[in-house]
Amino acid sequence: MKDALETTQPAVGAVFAALSDPTRRHIVRMLSQRETITASALAADLPISRQAVSKHLGALVDAGLASASREGRETRYRLTPQPLAEAMRWIAETGERWDERLSRLSQRLTQDG
Amino acid sequence: MEIEQQAVRRETILPVTRDRAWDALRDADGLSGWLADEVEVEIAAGAEGVVRWRNGEERLVTVEEVEDRRRVVFRWQERSAEPSLVELTLDDVEGGTQLVVIEVPLPALRAIASDLDAAASRPGPQMLSSAPRMLATVA
């Protein structure tokens, strides 16, 4: 079996994994509401330390959901929503395939009566 | 921007008894024709095989768990795509048998499993069923 690390398709699973954490989902929401933001500004609005926020931001960057850029002494984070679109496409396509499969199964069981 | 769910979940009521529904899950013959056009895998924990479609699509399958007349869990993966985990569960309901399908990309499941592990230190096959509930919305 091929290793997941060798895959060429977008890492949909990494996006889901990153968003499985409620704090990270909250940070994604906050990122979506502005152009860029710093870890300190996010920490001011969250009940967790700046260090914890930085760790979550790192996870989002790893999953391709955010990008970091240095401005003077600060790092500013920006939402990069493309992987979200890819994850949603996976959900739509996978769901559609199951709808087809379940309809084939129902049809067969009904015909066999 | 919204992610309503981070796993695919479908449910349907099959107008047959659970034994009849299980016949469609219990082996390659039962699964062939609806899960994929061709199914070549033994439905037993640890078994490996392949499923194919007429259009040439092919996925490698590894059976993870089988609970008689109740549940089949397998991992499948198309070449160069991420693996995902699929759980098929049967339940008796009025009017027949309910089939619940859940498919989750494997890396996502690992993340959930480690969260669950930390929270409850009781990971297990049931974690897949709880995945969609644990994964809420980004809205």
Side-chain angles (χ1 to χ4, degrees):
Chain A
M1 188 160 287
K2 234 170 134 57
D3 193 290
L5 293 172
E6 294 172 28
T7 61
T8 53
Q9 284 201 349
V12 168
V15 173
F16 290 151
L19 294 178
S20 67
D21 182 279
T23 304
R24 284 200 289 274
R25 287 199 295 275
H26 191 72
I27 291 174
V28 166
R29 263 196 300 277
M30 292 170 80
L31 286 170
S32 74
Q33 286 157 7
R34 59 215 96 187
E35 186 95 5
T36 64
I37 194 165
T38 62
S40 311
L42 281 168
D45 281 343
L46 288 166
I48 53 173
S49 70
R50 189 194 164 285
Q51 197 182 7
V53 169
S54 293
K55 210 175 146 195
H56 284 307
L57 284 166
L60 292 174
V61 169
D62 288 346
L65 288 168
S67 67
S69 59
R70 234 144 149 109
E71 273 179 29
R73 292 171 56 195
E74 284 195 312
T75 303
R76 301 196 69 87
Y77 292 87
R78 175 192 303 271
L79 187 71
T80 49
Q82 184 57 31
L84 276 178
E86 284 156 8
M88 291 182 75
R89 195 171 58 221
W90 182 89
I91 289 173
E93 286 174 4
T94 303
E96 200 179 324
R97 299 280 304 264
W98 280 110
D99 289 339
E100 289 165 14
R101 287 182 196 118
L102 294 181
S103 122
R104 281 205 278 181
L105 175 61
S106 290
Q107 217 172 348
R108 184 165 90 191
L109 291 174
T110 310
Q111 278 167 4
D112 290 355
Chain B
M1 170 193 52
E2 242 179 54
I3 281 201
E4 288 297 338
Q5 280 183 313
Q6 297 169 29
V8 170
R9 186 182 197 280
R10 289 292 188 275
E11 52 182 77
T12 189
I13 296 189
L14 304 167
V16 296
T17 62
R18 191 135 70 93
D19 282 336
R20 288 281 322 281
W22 179 246
D23 284 343
L25 267 60
R26 66 185 301 164
D27 58 20
D29 278 350
L31 291 162
S32 289
W34 74 270
L35 181 71
D37 293 326
E38 279 177 54
V39 177
E40 286 176 20
V41 66
E42 193 192 342
I43 301 304
E48 292 185 12
V50 64
V51 295
R52 294 189 189 86
W53 285 265
R54 273 188 280 277
N55 65 6
E57 185 185 344
E58 191 175 289
R59 291 185 192 180
L60 299 172
V61 179
T62 305
V63 178
E64 298 280 342
E65 191 199 332
V66 180
E67 195 181 325
D68 191 43
R69 298 177 63 249
R70 168 88 178 138
R71 188 199 317 272
V72 175
V73 182
F74 61 84
R75 175 156 43 101
W76 65 2
Q77 179 175 29
E78 207 177 336
R79 264 173 75 87
S80 80
E82 284 188 320
S84 54
L85 203 64
V86 175
E87 181 188 64
L88 307 171
T89 307
L90 298 176
D91 268 309
D92 294 318
V93 291
E94 208 181 307
T97 304
Q98 183 186 51
L99 170 60
V100 177
V101 177
I102 294 168
E103 181 162 358
V104 186
L106 212 54
L109 198 64
R110 288 204 188 99
I112 298 158
S114 66
D115 284 353
L116 275 185
D117 216 3
S121 67
R122 197 176 59 84
Q126 273 71 31
M127 72 187 181
L128 191 58
S129 318
S130 43
R133 286 194 294 278
M134 297 201 53
L135 301 169
T137 59
V138 171

